Amino acid sequence: DTAVSQTPKYLVTQMGNDKSIKCEQNLGHDTMYWYKQDSKKFLKIMFSYNNKELIINETVPNRFSPKSPDKAHLNLHINSLELGDSAVYFCASSPTWGDGTEAFFGQGTRLTVV
Amino acid sequence: KNQVEQSPQSLIILEGKNCTLQCNYTVSPFSNLRWYKQDTGRGPVSLTIMTFSENTKSNGRYTATLDADTKQSSLHITASQLSDSASYICVVSFSGGYNKLIFGAGTRLAVHP
């Protein structure tokens, strides 16, 4: 019954590695997002996709590459991981991309780079 | 600079008591303001969403207020329960499409028996 699901929940990896986080939503929503929650607990948007098309890219390093094979999935691939990439990454979805639409969040993926 | 500031940073109350959390924002142009509850180790869950024209909105024991003139909002929790222990995050959305959200750092609430 999980609406927005992310895998894995925890990810520990060494600097320089490449890793992916997967996200799936079964709500039939058109829009999906990736957010990063830093150590100060602020969530900041990274990417937004609407019907598989990129609509927001918030000056994220190009080591981060989202991929949306269909509108129910938005995966995040990270190349050459750095210590500063350690954070909790949240996937979210909303019915549309317009103002005021409700966003539903996954449970988060805690990434630790050592 | 578009920012959302919340106070207090953390709060401890006894079960059954009421509390009020504050949010000030400078986001412009403004579309709507939301309050989310985030349990430890979980994603945020929406409590309320208010547009420019709405002054108050309730969801059970949670009541949010909005003063768009002073750019302030509050979240009042009535008759707190142990399960209310969580972070409460104020989120403001830009007007103009794309559902772009600006998050506050949250207020961490601990309800003690």
Side-chain angles (χ1 to χ4, degrees):
Chain A
D1 289 344
T2 303
V4 181
S5 59
Q6 300 176 226
T7 54
K9 187 168 184 180
Y10 300 98
L11 183 55
V12 181
T13 187
Q14 290 185 326
M15 283 175 55
N17 284 349
D18 303 338
K19 290 294 179 184
S20 292
I21 307 172
K22 295 185 177 181
C23 179
E24 176 182 5
Q25 55 96 2
N26 62 6
L27 297 166
H29 290 169
D30 286 344
T31 308
M32 296 186 72
Y33 313 82
W34 276 108
Y35 285 86
K36 179 181 180 181
Q37 187 171 38
D38 60 25
S39 58
K40 295 183 179 179
K41 303 301 181 184
F42 286 100
L43 274 98
K44 295 181 180 177
I45 190 162
M46 300 173 68
F47 300 102
S48 175
Y49 271 70
N50 186 66
N51 275 324
K52 303 190 299 178
E53 291 190 13
L54 179 69
I55 57 173
I56 293 178
N57 180 343
E58 283 291 304
T59 60
V60 176
N62 57 15
R63 296 183 296 104
F64 291 78
S65 55
K67 285 185 171 52
S68 182
D70 54 63
K71 72 174 191 177
H73 296 83
L74 181 61
N75 303 323
L76 184 64
H77 188 75
I78 314 171
N79 290 326
S80 302
L81 278 156
E82 301 176 356
L83 293 178
D85 297 332
S86 296
V88 182
Y89 292 83
F90 286 96
C91 178
S93 73
S94 61
T96 68
W97 54 263
D99 292 343
T101 56
E102 189 56 77
F104 296 81
F105 288 81
Q107 81 278 18
T109 295
R110 181 173 293 278
L111 171 65
T112 304
V113 182
V114 298
Chain B
K1 187 176 179 181
N2 294 299
Q3 286 185 316
V4 177
E5 295 182 349
Q6 295 186 239
S7 62
Q9 194 172 39
S10 61
L11 181 62
I12 300 174
I13 62 173
L14 293 177
E15 188 178 12
K17 298 297 185 182
N18 303 335
C19 67
T20 300
L21 314 180
Q22 302 292 341
C23 173
N24 297 329
Y25 63 92
T26 58
V27 177
S28 182
F30 169 88
S31 173
N32 58 79
L33 185 144
R34 312 161 188 220
W35 283 93
Y36 281 86
K37 178 185 180 187
Q38 185 176 16
D39 292 312
T40 301
R42 310 284 298 200
V45 175
S46 177
L47 295 175
T48 63
I49 178 170
M50 291 182 291
T51 61
F52 182 89
S53 59
E54 294 177 292
N55 299 121
T56 185
K57 184 162 279 190
S58 292
N59 178 358
R61 296 179 295 103
Y62 301 103
T63 299
T65 65
L66 173 63
D67 186 334
D69 292 331
T70 62
K71 297 186 178 180
Q72 295 179 325
S73 176
S74 66
L75 180 69
H76 186 75
I77 305 175
T78 305
S80 61
Q81 301 176 357
L82 297 180
S83 60
D84 292 332
S85 296
S87 285
Y88 291 84
I89 306 174
C90 178
V91 184
V92 180
S93 174
F94 277 104
S95 177
Y98 302 125
N99 210 25
K100 186 173 176 181
L101 307 179
I102 306 296
F103 286 74
T107 292
R108 180 166 292 279
L109 174 67
V111 181
H112 289 181

